Amino acid sequence: MGKLFENRWFLLIIIALTWGSSFILIKKSLVAFTPYEIGAFRVGISGLLLAYIGFPALLKMSKTNLFWVIIAGFFGNFFPMFLFPIAQTQVSSSMAGILDSLVPVFVLVLGFTLFGIKSKTTQVIGALIGFLGAAILMFFSKSNGEESNLGYALLIVLATACYALAALIIKVKLNHVPSKQLSGSVFTVWMIPSFFILFNSEFFNTFNSNPKTWEALGYLGILTILGTAIAIILYYKLIQNTSPVFASSVTYLLPVIAVIWGLLDGEEFSIWYLLGGILIFIGIYLIREKKKKPQLVPR
């Protein structure tokens, strides 16, 4: 079983299944909880579950590693946890899943602008095509068939940029830290501010005012344990065993799973979703064309 979890394709599929289902789970959790409660619960409980790994790792960590753990945790494990549920108050889970596939595009763009990772011309063209697909999706995103939800869709784009930045930091600055220690550390660091947000919300009062709270809590629990705590350990392991570009290619599969769940839940699927998604996939394919990535090794 241990060898199985060393296989990059096995890790990729497991992560895709868990994260691809996260969008519908967020949607179901929003029935009773606010976006801030959902984000704070996910990070806080994940930190609590992983604290037995995180605290010892943090105590032994150098100041430099601690700095990068805090930064990577903010962009990869804290901030996006709030952006997605906020966006999904107005954007469908299918749309969220498709837009989430922009992560490899931002890995390319931010890798060049922040870390000097050079790209081929075909990869640059792929990034442009990917952004065009995202623009189509955002422009035609609808909440009630009348007005566009561009602002809320942009929150998902911002979240994908955050994920990409975190992936690059992990590969370039924290590649020497074991994945379990790394995931435990980032959640433990951001656990306290998350619980502060949760305890200052109406989270606990919701159980008395909304009859659907317990059902929503079940969805939120699955989202937190499988889609956050466990999946992030596997994702960090995948980044360290391969590269940020390969790991972020999990987003090839996320939209498919997200759309299937959305259709099963009665969401409408526009032809513009298909066009935008195809353009993003073409963009990711061109980005993935590069085989050798020696520049991704920590310097």
Side-chain angles (χ1 to χ4, degrees):
M1 191 67 176
K3 290 184 178 180
L4 194 59
F5 279 93
E6 293 296 327
N7 185 291
R8 62 178 183 170
W9 294 106
F10 176 78
L11 290 174
L12 194 72
I13 293 171
I14 294 299
I15 294 168
L17 288 173
T18 53
W19 279 354
S21 302
S22 66
F23 308 103
I24 192 68
L25 291 172
I26 290 174
K27 177 181 177 180
K28 297 296 186 181
S29 301
L30 283 167
V31 171
F33 303 112
T34 69
Y36 302 99
E37 291 168 348
I38 293 172
F41 185 92
R42 290 181 70 182
V43 180
I45 297 300
S46 295
L48 200 61
L49 292 172
L50 298 173
Y52 76 99
I53 299 174
F55 272 122
L58 289 170
L59 292 175
K60 298 177 182 178
M61 200 169 286
S62 67
K63 291 182 179 179
T64 301
N65 285 346
L66 179 59
F67 171 78
W68 288 115
V69 161
I70 293 172
I71 299 301
F74 177 79
F75 288 107
N77 307 88
F78 183 75
F79 193 40
M81 298 299 178
F82 297 92
L83 293 177
F84 271 97
I86 292 172
Q88 283 190 234
T89 60
Q90 298 295 325
V91 173
S92 70
S93 63
S94 299
M95 170 73 76
I98 297 173
L99 282 175
D100 192 44
S101 60
L102 280 173
V103 175
V105 178
F106 278 109
V107 167
L108 180 74
V109 174
L110 296 179
F112 175 74
T113 56
L114 299 180
F115 297 97
I117 301 173
K118 296 181 180 180
S119 306
K120 290 182 177 180
T121 302
T122 51
Q123 291 181 300
V124 175
I125 294 173
L128 294 174
I129 293 175
F131 280 124
L132 176 61
I136 291 174
L137 284 173
M138 290 186 291
F139 182 79
F140 289 101
S141 63
K142 307 287 184 180
S143 60
N144 54 14
E146 296 178 0
E147 60 179 26
S148 173
N149 282 305
L150 177 62
Y152 287 93
L154 280 172
L155 292 179
I156 297 177
V157 175
L158 176 59
T160 62
C162 289
Y163 283 146
L165 178 57
L168 287 163
I169 291 173
I170 290 165
K171 186 64 179 182
V172 177
K173 301 294 184 180
L174 297 169
N175 196 50
H176 57 286
V177 181
S179 58
K180 286 185 179 180
Q181 293 182 22
L182 182 57
S183 55
S185 298
V186 295
F187 279 116
T188 301
V189 165
W190 289 102
M191 172 179 64
I192 295 176
S194 297
F195 276 131
F196 178 81
I197 295 172
L198 192 64
F199 287 125
N200 282 277
S201 70
E202 294 295 317
F203 180 82
F204 298 100
N205 295 331
T206 307
F207 290 86
N208 298 322
S209 59
N210 192 329
K212 295 184 178 180
T213 299
W214 288 105
E215 181 181 349
L217 183 63
Y219 291 121
L220 184 54
I222 296 172
L223 175 65
T224 300
I225 296 172
L226 296 181
T228 308
I230 295 177
I232 205 69
I233 294 176
L234 300 180
Y235 183 61
Y236 284 176
K237 186 176 183 65
L238 185 63
I239 292 174
Q240 294 178 330
N241 288 354
T242 57
S243 74
V245 174
F246 179 84
S248 62
S249 65
V250 68
T251 49
Y252 275 122
L253 305 175
L254 297 190
V256 177
I257 298 168
V259 167
I260 290 173
W261 279 118
L263 291 175
L264 291 175
D265 199 50
E267 293 181 3
E268 294 184 6
F269 189 78
S270 167
I271 187 65
W272 296 109
Y273 287 25
L274 181 61
L275 176 59
I278 289 175
L279 288 175
I280 291 175
F281 288 157
I282 292 173
I284 297 173
Y285 175 77
L286 293 175
I287 289 171
R288 286 284 300 124
E289 191 178 56
K290 193 172 184 180
K291 300 298 181 183
K292 295 181 180 180
K293 308 176 184 66
Q295 65 274 23
L296 289 174
V297 177
R299 301 171 186 174

